[in-house]
Amino acid sequence: MVSKVVILTGAGVSAESGIQTFRAADGLWHNHRIEEVASPEGFTKDPALVHQFYNDRRRQLLSADINENAAHVALAKLEQHFAGEVLLVTQNIDDLHERAGSTQLVHMHGELLKKRCLGCEQITAVTDDLSVESVCEYCNSTAQLRPHIVWFGEMPLQMPRIEKALLQCDLFVSIGTSGNVYPAAGYVQLAAGNGAETLELNLEASATNSLFDQCRLGLASKLVPEWVEELLSQ
Ligand code: BJW
């Protein structure tokens, strides 16, 4: 009987909502060198370019075209109706899990709708574009605001909470992630090493596919609701 579940989601869970994944041929990295837009060094070198990259994505996320899909909705339903504990750990910076109703949620790579001041460290909401001229509403400094995103070389957020849940869970499910970015890609080993069952739901086999007990390939909007119904009927 499963009582503690940790779910890791990646870009694939939001793909059918119209948000590009990273590593597909036409993905987000297609037009950008990763280190230019997703590293602290890239931000120091060309903050305007990095702001533009995230401003474009924020505008898209807030447009009327983008909505949660059946996979997000099913995961929120699981949290609401499952008798045990569910922790949803997302690598995604969109807010589609929240829009679907998930609350036990960790954004380990940050959030597109938050900004952080490098001067006073305050984290605040943002829906407008950021620029090098943006002023921090707390400390009034200019050119210190950055998107609240975890870039390469930076520590993902809420690591102790995530690791504790992984060591205690009896089921770990990875959805829509290619398994290329650590520490998230190592979570299957951490959970399995402590006796958890492991399941991958993905469009194609991830880089860590062989480490999972079970794998189902297909669209998240189909696989996730099916799996949620199975778990709720156990
Ligand atoms: C569908 C679908 C559909 C599509 N249905 N599925 C050498 C070895 C090991 C590690 C390192 C190393 N050198 C450096 C590192 C560490 C580094 C790292 O992992 N680098 C790799 C490149 C090797 N990691 C870091 O630096 C991290 N920090 C860190 O390690 O700190 C130190 C530490 C030490 C010990 C413990 C803890 C910490 C930070 C990583 C930050 C990642 N940031 C990014 C960008 C910022 C966010 C943003 O702009 O949005 O986060 S990178 C990017 O990749 C983004 C994503 O969250 C992340 C993962 O991508 P994801 O989600 O897997 O997307 P894709 O596109 O790769 O895959 C999509 C999948 O969906 C595919 O499989 C499709 O098939 C599938 N799919 N449609 C179902 N409809």
Side-chain angles (χ1 to χ4, degrees):
M1 191 77 171
V2 174
S3 70
K4 292 186 180 178
V5 187
V6 176
I7 300 159
L8 173 71
T9 62
V13 83
S14 295
E16 291 165 80
S17 293
I19 296 183
Q20 282 172 289
T21 63
F22 292 89
R23 293 169 183 82
D26 59 348
L28 277 164
W29 296 150
H30 175 65
N31 287 321
H32 297 278
R33 287 179 54 211
I34 300 176
E35 60 275 21
E36 278 177 357
V37 290
S39 74
E41 296 77 18
F43 185 60
T44 304
K45 191 172 164 209
D46 192 347
L49 175 77
V50 177
H51 279 311
Q52 193 57 52
F53 179 65
Y54 287 98
N55 288 342
D56 290 346
R57 291 172 63 192
R58 193 179 302 108
R59 283 183 193 194
Q60 188 208 18
L61 179 61
L62 294 173
S63 75
D65 302 341
I66 301 293
N67 293 295
E68 67 276 24
N69 66 50
H72 300 105
V73 171
L75 293 173
K77 179 179 176 184
L78 180 68
E79 180 192 308
Q80 209 184 345
H81 296 286
F82 188 60
E85 290 172 26
V86 180
L87 180 67
L88 182 52
V89 179
T90 188
Q91 299 170 85
N92 299 343
I93 62 172
D94 65 55
D95 64 344
L96 298 182
H97 284 305
E98 287 93 331
R99 290 194 210 176
S102 288
T103 61
Q104 297 307 303
L105 173 67
V106 176
H107 277 279
M108 66 178 290
H109 289 165
E111 294 175 66
L112 192 50
L113 301 182
K114 289 186 179 167
K115 61 186 187 302
R116 186 166 87 241
C117 177
L118 293 169
C120 68
E121 288 299 323
Q122 284 289 337
I123 296 165
T124 46
V126 60
T127 49
D128 296 332
D129 285 357
L130 289 174
S131 77
V132 287
E133 274 98 44
S134 298
V135 177
C136 173
E137 64 246 48
Y138 275 87
C139 68
N140 281 327
S141 59
T142 309
Q144 299 269 47
L145 289 171
R146 58 165 278 183
H148 184 46
I149 306 290
V150 177
W151 289 321
F152 284 109
E154 298 185 315
M155 186 60 82
L157 306 174
Q158 298 196 46
M159 291 296 293
R161 181 179 177 195
I162 297 171
E163 284 172 2
K164 187 173 171 212
L166 286 165
L167 293 174
Q168 291 178 348
C169 72
D170 36 40
L171 176 61
F172 171 75
V173 184
S174 171
I175 303 171
T177 176
S178 62
N180 281 301
V181 176
Y182 287 82
Y187 288 169
V188 57
Q189 274 170 307
L190 198 57
N194 240 43
E197 267 180 69
T198 57
L199 168 67
E200 171 166 279
L201 305 177
N202 208 16
L203 193 56
E204 53 202 14
S206 70
T208 52
N209 175 265
S210 63
L211 301 171
F212 287 84
D213 297 321
Q214 213 199 113
C215 170
R216 300 180 192 175
L217 298 183
L219 294 172
S221 63
K222 180 171 184 291
L223 295 183
V224 178
E226 283 173 359
W227 166 70
V228 165
E229 291 310 318
E230 272 173 43
L231 191 59
L232 288 178
S233 65
Q234 76 168 12

